[in-house]
Amino acid sequence: MPGGRPRGFDIDSALDSALQVFWQHGYEGAGLSDLSAAMGINRPSIYATFGNKAELFDKVLARYLEGPGRYTAAALELPTARAVATAYLQGAITLTTRQDTPGCLCVRSVQACGSEADHSRTQAIAVRLAGETALRHRLQKARAEGDLPPDSKPADLARYLMTVSDGIAVQASAGAAPAQLRRTVNMALRSWP
């Protein structure tokens, strides 16, 4: 049996802690010393277990999608296109207005502006494009099943939902209350086919 010391920390807890640091400070603002302190492990252990900062961010982003960002996948499983749209937008409100979350990790990462953030921006853009594609496929299915009008454009509808969701994240980070954002969602859904 290979030797070596057993890992003295829980990987899931460490990733959750790293998620909080990236989420709160962004990719550029998350220093290795901040990550190390939050995760409760030293830098060599971070590198040995998770790789460099970019690789750690990738793991954190996947964890975000499986955890706080799971509302998107859950919405896609609903039986009607309107239910999908409603749950998707309501999920964005819930995520971005909670006291314990600093908004949407993907939106924050896409908006990062420095060259150090190129990796996080590229990864977040890829996640967002995958989300838009998943919405489009779900809405194409809805149109094929007669749940959306035959002349509806699933690609445009998916982009519309993403745009409203992004706006929710930006408004929430500026202090908009959940009730205000729910009124915005209600207005947006009035134009739903």
Side-chain angles (χ1 to χ4, degrees), residues 13-40 46 53 56-57 60 100 102 105 108-109:
S13 295
L15 282 174
D16 287 341
S17 297
L19 169 58
Q20 291 304 315
V21 174
F22 281 121
W23 206 353
Q24 186 69 41
H25 301 288
Y27 185 83
E28 293 171 302
L32 282 174
S33 57
D34 299 320
L35 290 162
S36 176
M39 297 167 78
I46 291 175
K53 183 177 172 182
L56 175 58
F57 180 81
V60 162
D100 63 336
L105 179 62
R108 289 173 61 90
S109 297

Side-chain angles (χ1 to χ4, degrees), residues 11-89:
I11 290 180
D12 290 333
S13 295
L15 282 174
D16 287 341
S17 297
L19 169 58
Q20 291 304 315
V21 174
F22 281 121
W23 206 353
Q24 186 69 41
H25 301 288
Y27 185 83
E28 293 171 302
L32 282 174
S33 57
D34 299 320
L35 290 162
S36 176
M39 297 167 78
I41 58 178
N42 60 31
R43 287 183 189 199
S45 292
I46 291 175
Y47 288 120
T49 307
F50 303 106
N52 62 26
K53 183 177 172 182
E55 292 168 316
L56 175 58
F57 180 81
D58 294 348
K59 290 173 179 63
V60 162
L61 189 56
R63 190 152 184 91
Y64 172 82
L65 295 173
E66 295 165 0
R70 171 81 178 103
Y71 72 90
T72 299
L76 294 173
E77 297 169 7
L78 295 174
T80 67
R82 179 171 282 280
V84 168
T86 301
Y88 178 72
L89 296 177

